[in-house]
Amino acid sequence: MLSERELAFIAIHKDSYPSVFRFVRRRVESAEMAEEIAADVFRVMWQKWSDDARPDLAYLLTVARNLVGNAYRSRDRQQALQEKLRTTAVQRFGDDSENVAVQDAMDRLRAQDRDILQLAYWDGLGTTDIARVLQCSESAAKVRLHRARTAFRKQMPAGAEPTTQKMGV
């Protein structure tokens, strides 16, 4: 049996989710990111909700605006890091080196693929540890790593065969 608070949460979610999702979707690049942020809005609401007042749409949209801002700042930090890594590779190995090609290929990957490859090659983790970091099963980590490697190979220029050592640029 659900508590009164849980029933109220379900009602608020049912009534407000479409508006929150539309609000977030207009501000982010992808529907996937909008879904994730919209879900986080309701997680925050649940965690901070006191029984004194029922959260209204204005409160939810304020939380959404803050989470969108956090997502943009995170994306900007990630892009700055990727640019710094590429600049370092160019400085160390020259503009036409395979190391720069690796960095460019990594930059074109989805964030999830880039993250798992970095865990495997830069941080030296095996699939068991990767699964723990990503909070998934070991078989799921193996599948994700395989898919990320495939995506990486597709991003590399024709004829380039990076070694795992070169991925540590």
Side-chain angles (χ1 to χ4, degrees):
M1 180 109 194
L2 298 176
S3 69
E4 282 184 42
R5 183 173 189 242
E6 290 168 330
L7 290 171
F9 175 84
I10 291 168
I12 292 168
H13 186 275
K14 182 180 176 189
D15 293 342
S16 303
Y17 183 85
S19 297
V20 170
F21 177 80
R22 283 191 306 272
F23 176 87
V24 173
R25 182 64 184 105
R26 287 190 308 268
R27 289 160 174 78
V28 298
E29 296 99 29
S30 70
E32 180 181 89
M33 181 183 275
E35 288 174 2
E36 192 173 312
I37 291 173
D40 280 346
V41 167
F42 290 94
R43 178 189 51 80
V44 168
M45 182 198 86
W46 178 260
Q47 290 173 335
K48 294 190 176 203
W49 184 11
S50 68
D51 292 331
D52 299 337
R54 181 182 168 114
D56 61 1
L57 184 59
Y59 170 78
L60 296 173
L61 296 182
T62 300
V63 172
R65 183 176 50 100
N66 292 337
L67 292 175
V68 167
N70 290 345
Y72 276 116
R73 284 186 292 280
S74 176
R75 183 204 62 196
D76 292 346
R77 283 190 303 271
Q78 183 68 30
Q79 286 175 342
L81 174 62
Q82 293 303 321
E83 289 172 22
K84 183 177 180 180
L85 290 171
R86 186 181 194 291
T87 300
T88 301
V90 168
Q91 289 171 347
R92 286 180 63 196
F93 304 107
D95 214 8
D96 296 330
S97 78
E98 192 174 284
N99 296 55
V100 175
V102 167
Q103 188 58 48
D104 288 344
M106 290 289 285
D107 196 33
R108 289 188 296 269
L109 292 175
R110 294 179 321 151
Q112 300 92 319
D113 292 338
R114 186 173 41 249
D115 289 344
I116 197 164
L117 289 173
Q118 288 171 340
L119 288 170
Y121 293 102
W122 294 7
D123 299 320
L125 299 182
T127 52
T128 302
D129 291 328
I130 290 171
R132 289 177 49 211
V133 169
L134 298 178
Q135 298 179 339
C136 65
S137 69
E138 190 172 345
S139 59
K142 286 179 184 178
V143 169
R144 291 178 189 179
L145 183 57
H146 173 74
R147 289 179 181 159
R149 286 176 177 148
T150 301
F152 175 78
R153 280 191 292 276
K154 289 178 183 177
Q155 294 299 327
M156 284 298 292
E161 288 285 330
T163 63
T164 55
Q165 202 173 24
K166 300 248 181 180
M167 289 188 70
V169 173

